Amino acid sequence: MSSYHSPRLSLRIYLAPDVFLGPGKADLLQGIVETGSIAAAGRRMNMSYKRAWYLVDTLNGYFDEPLVVSSKGGRAGGGASLTDTGRAVLECYRRVQEKTEAAIKSELKSLARMGANAQK
C-alpha cells in the first residue's frame, strides 16, 4: 500500500529541445556548492560520477559561460565550484521555483482536499 503524499510541483524549464533545467540539475549544482565536488554531489543524490559529469557538461555546453569549473587532483585534491554564471543560474531557477510554488499554493491545497479519500 502506498503512503499518501500532498500534491507538489516539479518544475522543469526547457532551455532547448534537448536541454532542460529541473530539480535534479538544480540539486546537483547546489550539491557542488556544498561539497566542492561533482563526484560528492552526485553521490549524495545516488548518481554515478559519469552521470553527474554528463549533466554538468550538458549545462556547461548550453550557456555562454560554464556553470561549473573543476580542477584536477594533486596534493590538495581536485574539486569543482560554480562560476558566477552558475550561481546566477541556480539562484534564478530557485526564484522561479519559489514564485511558481507561491502562485499555485491554493490550487495544490484544493487538489489535496479532493484527494483526501486516498489517505483513508
Side-chain angles (χ1 to χ4, degrees):
M1 184 171 181
S2 64
S3 61
Y4 173 76
H5 295 284
S6 296
R8 63 184 177 86
L9 172 72
S10 179
L11 180 67
R12 182 181 278 190
I13 300 171
Y14 285 86
L15 305 168
D18 57 344
V19 180
F20 64 88
L21 179 58
K25 287 179 183 162
D27 289 348
L28 181 62
L29 293 176
Q30 185 66 46
I32 293 168
V33 169
E34 293 170 1
T35 66
S37 164
I38 295 170
R43 276 192 304 272
R44 283 183 9 170
M45 299 175 69
N46 295 315
M47 182 185 300
S48 71
Y49 175 76
K50 182 178 178 179
R51 177 74 177 151
W53 180 252
Y54 171 77
L55 297 176
V56 166
D57 193 48
T58 299
L59 289 173
N60 278 350
Y62 173 79
F63 289 94
D64 291 337
E65 297 178 11
L67 305 190
V68 177
V69 291
S70 60
S71 59
K72 299 230 183 241
R75 279 190 175 184
S81 60
L82 266 59
T83 62
D84 289 343
T85 301
R87 288 183 184 277
V89 167
L90 179 58
E91 289 169 7
C92 183
Y93 176 83
R94 295 297 191 206
R95 281 193 311 272
V96 170
Q97 192 177 36
E98 289 172 11
K99 288 178 180 182
T100 303
E101 288 171 355
I104 66 167
K105 187 176 182 178
S106 64
E107 284 79 6
L108 290 179
K109 285 182 180 179
S110 293
L111 289 171
R113 282 192 303 273
M114 289 185 273
N117 288 331
Q119 50 182 319
K120 291 181 181 177

